[in-house]
Amino acid sequence: MTSSASPRIALVLGGGALKGFAHIGALRALAERGVVPTLYAGSSIGALIAAAAAGGMDVETMAERALSLRRKDLFRINHLGMLMDRMQSRSIYMEAPLRALCDHVVPEGTFSELHTPLIVAAVDVERGTEVVWGTPGLRDVSVRDAVYASCALPGFFPPGLVDGRPCIDGGTTNNLPVNIASQSMDVVIAVDVGMADVPDATGIGSQGFASVYMRAATIMMHTMQSRSLERWHGPPMLLVRPRVSHIAWFAFQHTAQLIQLGYDAMRESLRDLDTVLSARGGIYPRRQLALRVDDAACVGCGQCVALAPHIMAMDARGKAFVTSPLLEWSPADGSFVRQCPTGAIHDEPRGASVTPRAERAASPG
């Protein structure tokens, strides 16, 4: 993948707080395979690691810095602001530690000065609009400022000024900025950490406002991201989802495990890279599976039909059924299954990956 005929590959790294350390393992697997991204893109911690990679930091240095990071290095409560300003305080935590982390990892200078193109998703909190720094017209700004802003989780850290615009966490609107990153690219490799699913969180309602807030943010970002991927019409995408949903957002003790999970997931997904490179569109890897409805558990609410009318329907008894029981799904498909309030819908894997047929090669699946 180093010849002049190499495909233009965008590597997009999603947000997910400390779960984003899995990106480091994913980068290690890509390096072993000889995959060199043409462009890096990211949101939140994905922006931080994408910026480090675009600036030339090697994977081993990233891993060392991640493994040495401790809670006190990032989270210092803004005691004075909380005491003096109370509800008017800009954030729970102080800005300086996150700024220092960005300064240690992210290259100095502007996006225009980077050797490898980088784009960073953030949100202009005053205008209420997404801003993708590093795109044409938005390159002559500090990379460090943009990355800080993209990591500034609302309420946790103060907004960051980027070219005079107060910006917050890119995950607020676009946790996996694949659409903007895919422009002029042949292939997209996207690494999703933390938004692939929303596991049960029994008792979350009694764990304090920060836990409830993060839970709400997870649900919101998962829903927005799922809908965006379901409507994918860009170049072929390899969607990599490390199995990190069981790890808490801010669990510093799991860094080594997260790096390994990212490595394992990317290495497994790269088995389908040749299929992706030969495709004209769609999201991969694709797998065959069987979908069924537990008739006894179905209450006939119609939620599945509303969310997936091309797959689900209601029979004369008011029970849901699957119109095409054998399906070929990518990791982006089937989010409606979990939305069943009684858990009546079940998917069961059926075999290996699927090579795209010509008649559906241009579809997003």
Side-chain angles (χ1 to χ4, degrees):
M1 290 201 173
T2 57
S3 70
S4 59
S6 295
R8 295 165 296 178
I9 299 175
L11 177 62
V12 184
L13 306 180
L18 297 187
K19 297 182 184 186
F21 287 148
H23 292 316
I24 299 172
L27 286 168
R28 178 179 287 157
L30 286 170
E32 289 180 358
R33 181 67 184 266
V35 177
V36 180
T38 308
L39 172 143
Y40 291 92
S43 184
S44 196
I45 192 171
L48 181 74
I49 295 176
M57 183 178 291
D58 62 86
V59 172
E60 298 313 315
T61 300
M62 289 186 206
E64 289 174 8
R65 296 195 177 187
L67 288 165
S68 67
L69 190 68
R70 297 293 180 266
R71 181 173 295 274
K72 64 180 177 62
D73 298 327
L74 187 58
F75 297 116
R76 297 180 198 166
I77 294 178
N78 182 15
H79 290 289
L80 182 60
M82 299 289 285
L83 176 65
M84 300 298 293
D85 299 326
R86 299 190 180 184
M87 292 300 292
Q88 295 299 313
S89 176
R90 298 174 68 220
S91 62
I92 298 172
Y93 298 107
M94 298 176 66
E95 176 178 339
L98 180 56
R99 280 281 184 187
L101 176 61
C102 292
D103 290 348
H104 290 153
V105 174
V106 178
E108 290 187 90
T110 68
F111 288 85
S112 298
E113 295 169 330
L114 291 173
H115 178 70
T116 303
L118 168 72
I119 59 176
V120 168
V123 174
D124 185 323
V125 71
E126 290 186 348
R127 297 185 183 184
T129 57
E130 181 180 357
V131 185
V132 185
W133 301 104
T135 53
L138 298 172
R139 291 174 178 157
D140 294 322
V141 300
S142 166
V143 179
R144 289 178 175 176
D145 284 349
V147 170
Y148 169 83
S150 186
C151 293
L153 185 65
F156 282 65
F157 295 100
L161 280 179
V162 188
D163 197 29
R165 303 173 68 162
C167 294
I168 58 174
D169 193 337
T172 306
T173 60
N174 195 350
N175 200 58
L176 192 69
V178 289
N179 286 295
I180 188 70
S182 69
Q183 296 183 16
S184 301
M185 294 289 120
D186 299 312
V187 173
V188 174
I189 299 177
V191 187
D192 176 16
V193 291
M195 296 302 133
D197 55 29
V198 184
D200 293 343
T202 304
I204 190 72
S206 61
Q207 293 180 16
F209 75 91
S211 295
V212 174
Y213 173 84
M214 289 305 299
R215 179 67 173 177
T218 300
I219 296 168
M220 176 188 68
M221 290 187 285
H222 169 76
T223 301
M224 290 190 300
Q225 184 171 297
S226 295
R227 292 177 180 173
S228 174
L229 291 174
E230 286 169 359
R231 297 190 296 267
W232 180 251
H233 293 286
M237 179 195 304
L238 184 67
L239 180 57
V240 184
R241 284 180 160 165
R243 297 177 178 88
V244 297
S245 61
H246 62 290
I247 298 176
W249 285 70
F250 301 110
F252 286 81
Q253 70 272 26
H254 293 295
T255 300
Q257 181 186 5
L258 286 163
I259 293 172
Q260 186 63 46
L261 288 170
Y263 174 82
D264 293 342
M266 179 61 78
R267 189 175 180 185
E268 172 69 22
S269 297
L270 285 173
R271 295 179 181 179
D272 290 87
L273 183 59
D274 290 339
T275 296
V276 176
L277 292 173
S278 65
R280 294 173 55 196
I283 298 177
Y284 300 86
R286 305 186 68 80
R287 300 288 186 264
Q288 288 188 338
L289 58 82
L291 199 65
R292 64 178 179 85
V293 177
D294 182 342
D295 195 73
C298 177
V299 295
C301 69
Q303 175 88 335
C304 57
V305 179
L307 294 174
H310 56 299
I311 296 175
M312 307 299 296
M314 305 297 289
D315 64 19
R317 303 169 301 145
K319 296 279 189 174
F321 70 94
V322 184
T323 58
S324 302
L326 189 62
L327 301 166
E328 295 175 2
W329 272 0
S330 78
D333 293 315
S335 62
F336 70 92
V337 171
R338 191 180 181 280
Q339 298 300 320
C340 176
T342 60
I345 308 173
H346 303 274
D347 53 26
E348 301 167 349
R350 289 287 182 91
S353 61
V354 178
T355 300
R357 295 194 299 265
E359 60 268 27
R360 67 163 183 273
S363 75

